[in-house]
Amino acid sequence: MTVPVTNYGLSNDEIDSCREAFMKFDKDNSGTIDLAELKETLSAMGQKPTDEELFLMISQVDDDGSGEIEFSEFLKLILSQKLQRAELASEVDLVDAFMALGGNSDKSGCIKTDKLRRIIEDFGLLIDIEGLIVATDLDNSGFIDFHEFKHMMAV
């Protein structure tokens, strides 16, 4: 069964891979994944979700309330997972940068604004560091904590 879909921000290769995976889940070739098919597939993968967990998985993506996952809903689920992984990777990169500037891996500690200025100058970066510090270090402490640093990187 061919279902027309939009790409949901996924590449054609990713959609093709999703279609293959979906077809493996869809044991009865109905064009949907029901609770039993999801349970069977996850069990084969060594996972033992409860019926409640399975119902929750389906309900999170079941836009039409059918109790089953259609291919377009499956794509939304895959995209959501992809975005969550990207967000996590971005957070890891942010923590790494914070640590390189003097913060701690658990997001505690602070970066000295003087050190930040020096690094920007040493690398010859064309960043308005003074403007960023003024906008971020609202208490004028001369230190940037992780939340301030995260805000600074988002500006």
Side-chain angles (χ1 to χ4, degrees):
M1 168 187 223
T2 303
V3 178
V5 296
T6 60
N7 69 5
Y8 295 102
L10 299 169
S11 72
N12 288 335
D13 287 343
E14 288 172 318
I15 291 172
D16 289 343
S17 294
C18 288
R19 192 175 312 279
E20 287 176 30
F22 185 84
M23 289 167 44
K24 288 178 184 174
F25 276 87
D26 182 17
K27 304 285 186 192
D28 64 1
N29 296 316
S30 65
T32 62
I33 300 169
D34 63 23
L35 190 85
E37 290 169 324
L38 183 59
K39 185 174 189 170
E40 181 182 337
T41 303
L42 293 175
S43 293
M45 295 168 54
Q47 298 181 28
K48 304 291 181 211
T50 65
D51 285 344
E52 183 178 324
E53 290 170 326
L54 291 165
F55 178 75
L56 183 61
M57 285 179 207
I58 290 176
S59 67
Q60 288 175 335
V61 297
D62 184 19
D63 293 337
D64 63 3
S66 66
E68 300 176 324
I69 302 172
E70 287 85 19
F71 184 63
S72 61
E73 294 167 337
F74 186 72
L75 287 179
K76 288 180 189 177
L77 175 65
I78 298 300
L79 178 61
S80 173
Q81 290 176 339
K82 181 181 175 181
L83 294 174
Q84 287 174 354
R85 283 191 306 272
E87 189 175 306
L88 180 61
S90 177
E91 181 82 2
V92 168
D93 290 344
L94 199 57
V95 171
D96 287 346
F98 183 69
M99 288 171 44
L101 294 168
N104 299 319
S105 62
D106 65 355
K107 303 177 188 174
S108 66
C110 294
I111 300 168
K112 293 181 181 178
T113 54
D114 290 340
K115 181 177 185 176
L116 190 55
R117 283 184 189 95
R118 214 173 26 256
I119 289 171
I120 296 300
E121 289 171 12
D122 289 349
F123 281 96
L125 300 175
L126 302 174
I127 296 172
D128 178 14
I129 191 61
E130 290 306 319
L132 285 174
I133 289 172
V134 167
T136 306
D137 186 20
L138 299 177
D139 61 359
N140 295 314
S141 66
F143 295 93
I144 305 289
D145 67 21
F146 181 77
H147 296 290
E148 292 170 326
F149 182 70
K150 185 174 183 177
H151 173 74
M152 179 185 285
M153 295 295 102
V155 174

